[in-house]
Amino acid sequence: MIEHKRIRCGGLRSKVMSAEQAASFITSGSTVGMSGFTGSGYPKAVPLALAEHIEKEHAVGRPFRVRVWTGASTGPELDGALAKADGIEFRLPYNSDPVVREKINSGAMEYFDMHLSQVAPMAWQGFLGPLDTAVIEVTGIRPDGALIPSSSVGNNKTWLDQARHVILEVNSWQNAALEGMHDIYYGTALPPNRVPIPLVRPDDRIGDPSFRCDSDKIVAIVETYAPDRNLPFAPSDGTARAIAGHLLEFFHHEVAKGRLPASLLPLQSGVGNIANAVLTGLLGSSFENMTAYTEVIQDGMLDLLTAGKLRMASATAFSLSPEAAAKLNSEMTSFSDKMILRPQEISNHPELVRRLGCIAMNGLIEADIYGSVNSTHIMGSRIQNGIGGSGDFARNASISIFMTPSTAKGGKISAIVPQASHVDHITQDVQVLVTEQGLADLRGLSPKQRAVTIIENCAHPDYRPALSDYFRRARDHSYGQQSPSLPGEALSWHQRFIDSGSMLS
Amino acid sequence: MIEHKRIRCGGLRSKVMSAEQAASFITSGSTVGMSGFTGSGYPKAVPLALAEHIEKEHAVGRPFRVRVWTGASTGPELDGALAKADGIEFRLPYNSDPVVREKINSGAMEYFDMHLSQVAPMAWQGFLGPLDTAVIEVTGIRPDGALIPSSSVGNNKTWLDQARHVILEVNSWQNAALEGMHDIYYGTALPPNRVPIPLVRPDDRIGDPSFRCDSDKIVAIVETYAPDRNLPFAPSDGTARAIAGHLLEFFHHEVAKGRLPASLLPLQSGVGNIANAVLTGLLGSSFENMTAYTEVIQDGMLDLLTAGKLRMASATAFSLSPEAAAKLNSEMTSFSDKMILRPQEISNHPELVRRLGCIAMNGLIEADIYGSVNSTHIMGSRIQNGIGGSGDFARNASISIFMTPSTAKGGKISAIVPQASHVDHITQDVQVLVTEQGLADLRGLSPKQRAVTIIENCAHPDYRPALSDYFRRARDHSYGQQSPSLPGEALSWHQRFIDSGSMLS
């Protein structure tokens, strides 16, 4: 590290300092744009030093909080540490850290949950206020001062462009072979100066391999050697495999009907147990020559790439288990022509999702009998993570699929409810709903037809009679018959869970 | 009419017949794609003849119903007549006809309420089933057989391409000078063959002036001379003018802040009293050189074009009062270089709305304290019209604005409620909310910050204390604090209205 090998631009070596020194550039009340997307490529030293500084300030009675913007979720050294220090006043656009979640749900932190494709444009338009400091992890600095991105791109281009000053973390844990894997598009603009984004296939390269950055804005460079937060992977269970089975059968059916090409269309997939079971299902399927245009490359996609079933994957970040991360790190060069990491405004861009006709596969917390989906708020009020990119993909996909086990909390919560307690995806954007019970193809159906299909195909047998009963009574007594409902009862299942710990009566 | 002047393609004149004869090509159980968008350009003779035929069949005990697809709403001679005859089994994608509405809300008709930009792609993908017959009003037929569109374009291109056979209505009431005003883009495709849509300004022409149509598919041509359904215009009242005033002030503020260009950005505006008051406000404002990229050209836009304040307007249809329609008809040539009518998949395309950065201005039925918007379902179940293009524009606009009087039914309904009884626009897509009480700029705010702003700025004083009380109690007792709620009470205002005729307790 003393040789500053990763800092190939000599003029910048004088700015190397400790994380503590670097953190001192961040003042209370300021807004900080950090790198990081699903535990990849977030700064690992400066936020920790900042949290320590904040705790000291609080200990002597001085208030100190900042506004934190990121790509999406980060790691415990960033969100966790700063939240524990009670150092975050306002957070956007996505979070999955348990400490931050607790602060939000206790009312101690304000959280602005955003469509991930819209963060950069909204920042450019000035709606989010000025950005004081960018803290960005990079893999290295090139001789010309250009920055080699890390294991996520996220909003880094925008933070680097917009911040008054920049702090870099050069993380030599990141594989140097990442250089060249990124595609940073510099053609975006504000209206009325926007032009078509010239991407027509997931494998198109339309930008630079590195970030441009005004060297005069760089106030500190911190060298680190620290791993991304790679969460151990939960193996898929029978429920996940059943969901995957229904979905695979559906894909085969759509290909047979001529509504999907034999190699499908670019896949977008969330993360987690069920998403991975679907990808594992595709690994054993007859589908070949597939592509992905998605947010993150997770274990299942790496397996599909390795097997040659997936021709290439475009994303904005990796989201890997420790084993998969080790595999990728040791074989990085063999993946370099099969992966492209892009800014999240491009990986999630509605224009591109619609053009490519992505098959969107996302999870949910609950869906109602008409297929409105709640992705974010447990019992309508308690944030889980955030909407993330699900809205970018679901509305513009050629097929928008939502997947969930039919129950949660050991059967005490039904994923299918009379009315969603919060809505993130409206019925028009939810075309296929899958649980381990079955698949509901909702395309072309009216709300009442959707309700019958969802209750019959997706609801758990323990809740099906109560859902059918609600729907029947709603048909008898509703104010209108487009989407029959009983407002006095529609959210009673949620109130029952809050009161008694179970939706079952 | 005997001279078939508008049918300049000699080979097609042999297909001229009566509406009754033409209607006989439509069989029970079939799917019919009709022209028409907000009462413009819909067929006026064949649907009436079909309705008459259906009534006769029903009178002798023979079932006869069809599935009806259109651009959006139509006129009484189409939706009204067919619904009155109980001849519509299934309807998409939008409706404002009172008889159809009544049939839907009594449960006698299935209605699939869709994003208007997605109708054509979904039809091409085959999700809606096969299309048997297209019934399309045109202004005329060119010598080469190309069809000169009428006063709306809607989904006509898709219906003509997809239908097994085609019935044309040549309406000589439509001004022949409409020829050349349309821009029919033939570059759309299904994925994986989609390419960027080459439109970067509202005035760009990217297609043909007429529809292509395989003459062999044309089974009947009916000549008509019949006006569009032009609804008389409701003059704006104090409430509408107050809403317009708040919005104009906001536009000036955004320009002063450098967040909007001096000529604003392309305007999208719904129809009706309030939308027109806003356009009238713009007529008296200092804004110059404006453009519109919108669904329909209504009276206010025509006035802005006449005054030269609006440089040009792109839409998919006219939606004019009888006076404005007469003015346009008599001065059509002077507007021909200031207006472009496009297919609705282009007028509403998310790619283009985002690229152009439209300022979206739409109405609503109710919004909740967090800014979720219900545009479609009264009391959560009774359909009013449909989502129309509001989702296409609101999610992709540079500023998404929703406007409404703060109360309805003489104060018995509050437009601001604890929780929306149905959600069409999620909080992320609702950036500015305006009532006659004031304007809430919600950009960059967390849900709790949004609630305070909406209650203070937008709610009617009669309902403000009850909303504040609900929000305070929700903060005290909610399961989580991201979007505090009380599920057992959240929809009680709607139940109270259903039970007692008023939301006031």
Side-chain angles (χ1 to χ4, degrees), chain A residues 67 90 104-107 109-115 117-118 121-122 125-128 191-201 254 258-259 261 265-266 345 348-351 353-357 372 376-383 387 390-392 394-399 409 419-429 431 442-450 475 477-492 494-495 497-498, chain B residues 67 90 104-107 109-115 117-118 121-122 125-128 191-201 254 258-259 261 265-266 345 349-351 353-357 372 376-383 387 390-392 394-399 409 419-429 431 442-450 475 477-492 494-495 497-498:
Chain A
R67 297 165 62 89
F90 186 99
I104 297 168
N105 284 315
S106 69
M109 191 192 300
E110 299 299 319
Y111 175 47
F112 182 25
D113 174 23
M114 295 176 71
H115 295 303
S117 78
Q118 296 189 350
M122 285 196 85
Q125 283 167 315
F127 298 153
L128 306 177
N193 300 313
R194 287 186 181 149
V195 294
I197 298 170
L199 185 149
V200 295
R201 291 177 192 284
E254 290 299 297
R259 292 191 293 224
L265 285 166
E345 61 178 314
N348 287 30
H349 203 297
E351 173 177 337
V353 174
R354 177 126 163 185
R355 182 178 304 147
L356 296 171
S372 290
T376 56
H377 285 68
I378 296 170
M379 302 302 136
S381 59
R382 189 175 183 82
I383 194 83
I387 193 167
S390 57
D392 297 323
R395 178 157 297 176
N396 297 292
S398 61
I399 307 180
K409 295 261 177 198
Q419 183 152 342
S421 59
H422 177 93
V423 176
D424 296 289
H425 303 288
I426 65 172
T427 59
Q428 284 86 349
D429 301 339
Q431 299 177 334
L442 306 170
R443 295 170 299 180
L445 302 186
S446 73
K448 289 191 292 295
Q449 295 168 332
R450 290 169 68 102
R475 291 206 60 160
H477 302 294
S478 181
Y479 188 68
Q481 288 294 332
Q482 169 69 356
S483 306
S485 78
L486 303 170
E489 185 183 331
L491 300 175
S492 63
H494 302 89
Q495 192 62 53
F497 177 84
I498 294 170
Chain B
R67 297 165 62 89
F90 185 98
I104 296 168
N105 284 315
S106 68
M109 190 193 300
E110 300 298 319
Y111 175 47
F112 182 24
D113 174 23
M114 297 177 70
H115 295 303
S117 79
Q118 296 189 350
M122 287 196 85
Q125 284 167 314
F127 297 153
L128 306 178
N193 300 313
R194 287 186 181 148
V195 294
I197 298 169
L199 184 148
V200 294
R201 294 178 189 285
E254 290 298 297
R259 292 192 293 225
L265 284 166
E345 62 178 313
H349 203 296
E351 172 177 338
V353 174
R354 178 127 163 183
R355 182 177 304 146
L356 296 171
S372 290
T376 56
H377 285 67
I378 296 171
M379 302 302 136
S381 60
R382 189 175 184 82
I383 193 81
I387 193 167
S390 57
D392 297 321
R395 179 157 296 177
N396 297 293
S398 60
I399 306 179
K409 294 260 178 199
Q419 183 153 341
S421 59
H422 177 93
V423 176
D424 295 288
H425 303 288
I426 66 173
T427 60
Q428 285 86 347
D429 301 338
Q431 299 177 334
L442 306 169
R443 294 170 300 181
L445 302 186
S446 72
K448 290 192 292 295
Q449 294 168 333
R450 290 169 68 100
R475 291 208 60 160
H477 303 293
S478 183
Y479 188 69
Q481 287 294 331
Q482 170 69 356
S483 306
S485 77
L486 303 171
E489 185 183 331
L491 300 176
S492 62
H494 302 88
Q495 192 62 54
F497 177 84
I498 293 169

Side-chain angles (χ1 to χ4, degrees), chain A residues 155-422:
Chain A
N155 289 312
N156 295 355
K157 166 188 165 287
T158 296
W159 299 168
L160 289 167
D161 285 347
Q162 291 248 298
R164 274 195 302 120
H165 49 245
V166 170
I167 298 170
L168 298 176
E169 288 196 9
V170 181
N171 185 358
S172 51
W173 179 86
Q174 299 289 2
N175 196 318
L178 278 168
E179 187 172 358
M181 251 190 196
H182 308 86
D183 186 61
I184 314 301
Y185 180 60
Y186 275 91
T188 52
L190 290 182
N193 300 313
R194 287 186 181 149
V195 294
I197 298 170
L199 185 149
V200 295
R201 291 177 192 284
D203 21 9
D204 284 347
R205 288 186 168 274
I206 59 174
D208 299 354
S210 51
F211 295 121
R212 305 168 192 171
C213 181
D214 176 359
S215 293
D216 292 343
K217 292 208 302 189
I218 300 174
V219 294
I221 300 175
V222 178
E223 289 178 298
T224 63
Y225 181 87
D228 280 333
R229 175 200 57 157
N230 294 300
L231 286 181
F233 192 70
S236 61
D237 56 11
T239 300
R241 284 194 299 274
I243 291 170
H246 298 311
L247 200 47
L248 267 286
E249 190 187 329
F250 171 76
F251 288 154
H252 283 293
H253 176 260
E254 290 299 297
V255 172
K257 283 266 186 186
R259 292 191 293 224
L260 273 181
S263 59
L264 303 180
L265 285 166
L267 304 171
Q268 177 260 328
S269 169
V271 290
N273 191 9
I274 294 170
N276 231 73
V278 172
L279 298 173
T280 302
L282 287 170
L283 193 62
S285 76
S286 57
F287 297 111
E288 302 281 349
N289 209 25
M290 292 180 285
T291 59
Y293 195 83
T294 187
E295 257 178 35
V296 294
I297 294 171
Q298 67 280 67
D299 286 32
M301 289 220 175
L302 208 64
D303 294 341
L304 284 169
L305 285 166
T306 304
K309 305 281 281 183
L310 194 64
R311 187 163 58 74
M312 70 82 53
S314 166
T316 193
F318 299 127
S319 184
L320 300 168
S321 70
E323 299 73 38
K327 174 187 159 74
L328 175 63
N329 244 347
S330 68
E331 304 169 22
M332 188 70 81
T333 49
S334 75
F335 287 104
S336 58
D337 60 340
K338 294 179 182 169
M339 288 179 174
I340 299 176
L341 297 186
R342 311 177 190 274
Q344 71 194 62
E345 61 178 314
I346 299 299
S347 67
N348 287 30
H349 203 297
E351 173 177 337
L352 304 178
V353 174
R354 177 126 163 185
R355 182 178 304 147
L356 296 171
C358 291
I359 297 176
M361 299 181 282
N362 290 290
L364 56 77
I365 289 173
E366 64 183 10
D368 65 29
I369 55 174
Y370 299 114
S372 290
V373 161
N374 172 7
S375 300
T376 56
H377 285 68
I378 296 170
M379 302 302 136
S381 59
R382 189 175 183 82
I383 194 83
Q384 179 63 17
N385 296 333
I387 193 167
S390 57
D392 297 323
F393 285 95
R395 178 157 297 176
N396 297 292
S398 61
I399 307 180
S400 170
I401 300 160
F402 285 86
M403 321 183 277
T404 181
S406 67
T407 60
K409 295 261 177 198
K412 290 181 178 153
I413 291 177
S414 174
I416 312 296
V417 291
Q419 183 152 342
S421 59
H422 177 93

Side-chain angles (χ1 to χ4, degrees), chain A residues 80-113:
Chain A
L82 285 172
K84 200 160 152 274
D86 200 20
I88 306 179
E89 173 192 332
F90 186 99
R91 179 79 174 82
L92 67 79
Y94 186 85
N95 168 71
S96 66
D97 183 87
V99 187
V100 170
R101 185 185 296 135
E102 183 45 42
K103 294 275 181 186
I104 297 168
N105 284 315
S106 69
M109 191 192 300
E110 299 299 319
Y111 175 47
F112 182 25
D113 174 23

Side-chain angles (χ1 to χ4, degrees), chain B residues 176-189:
Chain B
L178 278 169
E179 186 171 359
M181 250 189 196
H182 308 86
D183 187 59
I184 313 301
Y185 180 61
Y186 275 91
T188 53

Side-chain angles (χ1 to χ4, degrees), chain B residues 76-349:
Chain B
E77 306 96 318
L78 195 168
D79 272 313
L82 286 171
K84 198 160 155 275
D86 200 20
I88 307 180
E89 173 192 333
F90 185 98
R91 179 77 174 83
L92 68 78
Y94 185 87
N95 168 71
S96 66
D97 183 87
V99 186
V100 170
R101 184 186 297 136
E102 183 45 42
K103 293 275 181 186
I104 296 168
N105 284 315
S106 68
M109 190 193 300
E110 300 298 319
Y111 175 47
F112 182 24
D113 174 23
M114 297 177 70
H115 295 303
L116 294 186
S117 79
Q118 296 189 350
V119 181
M122 287 196 85
W124 279 107
Q125 284 167 314
F127 297 153
L128 306 178
L131 180 63
D132 298 296
T133 311
V135 184
I136 309 293
E137 177 179 286
V138 297
T139 300
I141 304 177
R142 297 200 322 183
D144 62 359
L147 309 177
I148 303 161
S150 174
S151 50
S152 70
V153 178
N155 288 312
N156 294 355
K157 166 186 165 290
T158 296
W159 298 168
L160 289 167
D161 286 348
Q162 291 248 299
R164 276 194 301 119
H165 48 245
V166 170
I167 298 170
L168 298 177
E169 288 196 8
V170 180
N171 184 358
S172 50
W173 179 85
Q174 300 289 2
N175 196 318
L178 278 169
E179 186 171 359
M181 250 189 196
H182 308 86
D183 187 59
I184 313 301
Y185 180 61
Y186 275 91
T188 53
L190 289 183
N193 300 313
R194 287 186 181 148
V195 294
I197 298 169
L199 184 148
V200 294
R201 294 178 189 285
D203 21 9
D204 284 348
R205 288 187 168 272
I206 59 174
D208 299 354
S210 50
F211 296 121
R212 306 168 191 170
C213 181
D214 175 1
S215 293
D216 291 344
K217 292 208 301 189
I218 300 174
V219 294
I221 299 175
V222 178
E223 289 179 298
T224 64
Y225 181 87
D228 280 333
R229 175 200 57 159
N230 295 299
L231 287 180
F233 192 69
S236 60
D237 55 12
T239 301
R241 284 194 300 272
I243 291 171
H246 298 312
L247 199 48
L248 267 286
E249 190 186 329
F250 171 76
F251 287 153
H252 283 292
H253 176 260
E254 290 298 297
V255 171
K257 283 267 187 187
R259 292 192 293 225
L260 273 181
S263 59
L264 303 180
L265 284 166
L267 304 171
Q268 177 259 326
S269 169
V271 289
N273 190 8
I274 294 171
N276 231 71
V278 171
L279 298 173
T280 303
L282 286 169
L283 193 62
S285 77
S286 58
F287 298 111
E288 302 280 348
N289 210 26
M290 293 180 285
T291 59
Y293 195 83
T294 188
E295 259 178 34
V296 294
I297 294 172
Q298 67 279 67
D299 287 32
M301 291 222 173
L302 208 64
D303 293 341
L304 284 169
L305 286 166
T306 303
K309 305 280 281 183
L310 194 65
R311 185 162 59 74
M312 69 83 53
S314 166
T316 192
F318 299 126
S319 185
L320 299 169
S321 70
E323 297 73 39
K327 174 187 158 73
L328 176 63
N329 245 346
S330 68
E331 303 169 24
M332 188 70 82
T333 50
S334 75
F335 286 104
S336 59
D337 60 341
K338 295 179 184 170
M339 288 178 174
I340 299 177
L341 296 185
R342 309 177 190 275
Q344 71 193 64
E345 62 178 313
I346 299 299
S347 67
N348 286 30
H349 203 296

Side-chain angles (χ1 to χ4, degrees), chain A residues 412 493-505:
Chain A
K412 290 181 178 153
W493 293 28
H494 302 89
Q495 192 62 53
R496 190 180 308 131
F497 177 84
I498 294 170
D499 295 340
S500 74
S502 175
M503 283 185 175
L504 287 164
S505 51

Side-chain angles (χ1 to χ4, degrees), chain B residues 429-471:
Chain B
D429 301 338
V430 181
Q431 299 177 334
V432 174
L433 194 60
V434 199
T435 71
E436 81 287 355
Q437 300 294 321
L439 180 145
D441 183 355
L442 306 169
R443 294 170 300 181
L445 302 186
S446 72
K448 290 192 292 295
Q449 294 168 333
R450 290 169 68 100
V452 171
T453 309
I454 290 172
I455 295 171
E456 281 179 6
N457 293 7
C458 299
H460 191 278
D462 288 353
Y463 288 96
R464 209 176 286 158
L467 289 166
S468 296
D469 177 59
Y470 173 84
F471 182 55

